[in-house]
Amino acid sequence: EADIYQTPRYLVIGTGKKITLECSQTMGHDKMYWYQQDPGMELHLIHYSYGVNSTEKGDLSSESTVSRIRTEHFPLTLESARPSHTSQYLCASRAGTGVSEQYFGPGTRLTVT
Amino acid sequence: KQEVTQIPAALSVPEGENLVLNCSFTDSAIYNLQWFRQDPGKGLTSLLLIQSSQREQTSGRLNASLDKSSGRSTLYIAASQPGDSATYLCAVEVRTSGTYKYIFGTGTRLKVLA
């Protein structure tokens, strides 16, 4: 059982609001990831981190930002939400060395009205 | 550019049947391949991880095979049950621009009928 958590699970918010999606894991994993998934579509990597103070943008352009101040915590922030940000956001982590499985959180379903 | 394709996109079978889900990838230079299941509105649950040097992995009623040279992997589910109904995703880990990333397929939506 993977110990990776995301809050909130569901969020409905108005255009222009600032939001932060929380992701935390208790496995001591160095590598953490944020993916965006629209219904019926594949996952797209939007941000990743290989350790504290390390963050990189993924393959899919995103207006969100991330931070990695602590190993266990990898929050994603949208400064000004727009309807185009409506999607499911999935956080994942894996051990930093060797071949390791990627574990996912339950996801945050975001709706911007 | 690595592309991952899963066929069929949807599958409906009666309970008890053995079934095979397919995953193909365009570039054989992968580091590993992982199979996941995703229930509606939920995150992904890891099922099996196959390293690039391995040919198959087994867990309970699941068996995943990997043929890197032909760019294919299969997930075999024995004696399917209604609880197996979910979307099954495969993902390959590749190295691009000096970093390791997973590329996901769009999944096979499985429905097992009681």
Side-chain angles (χ1 to χ4, degrees):
Chain A
E1 187 80 17
D3 296 323
I4 180 165
Y5 309 98
Q6 289 185 245
T7 58
R9 291 293 315 281
Y10 305 93
L11 180 61
V12 180
I13 201 163
T15 296
K17 300 291 186 184
K18 177 180 178 179
I19 57 172
T20 296
L21 308 185
E22 301 288 349
C23 175
S24 61
Q25 49 93 7
T26 58
M27 298 170 283
H29 288 168
D30 286 324
K31 295 180 179 176
M32 295 189 74
Y33 308 83
W34 276 104
Y35 293 90
Q36 186 173 340
Q37 185 186 32
D38 292 320
M41 304 296 287
E42 64 263 49
L43 278 72
H44 290 288
L45 180 67
I46 52 175
H47 295 284
Y48 61 97
S49 167
Y50 283 177
V52 171
N53 295 325
S54 152
T55 61
E56 300 287 345
K57 287 189 179 293
D59 301 321
L60 182 67
S61 175
S62 173
E63 293 163 341
S64 57
T65 59
V66 292
S67 63
R68 189 89 184 275
I69 299 172
R70 303 196 319 263
T71 298
E72 62 271 21
H73 198 212
F74 191 39
L76 180 145
T77 298
L78 277 165
E79 291 292 333
S80 180
R82 292 210 297 268
S84 61
H85 296 139
T86 295
S87 189
Q88 169 141 294
Y89 293 84
L90 293 164
C91 180
S93 75
R94 61 190 297 202
T97 57
V99 178
S100 58
E101 291 180 59
Q102 195 166 178
Y103 294 97
F104 280 80
T108 293
R109 184 166 295 282
L110 173 65
T111 302
V112 184
T113 60
Chain B
K1 181 188 171 189
Q2 179 73 267
E3 292 182 3
V4 180
T5 304
Q6 292 186 246
I7 295 173
L11 182 63
S12 188
V13 300
E15 182 177 6
E17 274 206 7
N18 302 325
L19 56 101
V20 174
L21 307 181
N22 297 294
C23 172
S24 60
F25 44 95
T26 54
D27 187 344
S28 63
I30 67 170
Y31 286 87
N32 61 63
L33 183 146
Q34 195 168 354
W35 281 93
F36 299 87
R37 73 172 274 168
Q38 184 175 31
D39 294 288
K42 303 284 180 64
L44 279 65
T45 300
S46 177
L47 297 174
L48 291 163
L49 170 71
I50 310 177
Q51 298 181 41
S52 61
S53 58
Q54 297 175 323
R55 300 281 294 181
E56 66 177 332
Q57 281 285 348
T58 298
S59 175
R61 293 182 294 110
L62 305 178
N63 176 276
S65 68
L66 174 63
D67 184 343
K68 260 185 61 173
S69 60
S70 66
R72 294 171 64 175
S73 176
T74 61
L75 179 67
Y76 175 82
I77 303 177
S80 58
Q81 303 170 357
D84 295 331
S85 298
T87 296
Y88 289 80
L89 297 157
C90 73
V92 297
E93 186 178 22
V94 300
R95 183 176 179 181
T96 58
S97 304
T99 60
Y100 294 87
K101 300 174 185 175
Y102 272 95
I103 308 296
F104 285 81
T106 52
T108 293
R109 195 168 56 255
L110 172 67
K111 187 168 186 177
V112 180
L113 305 169

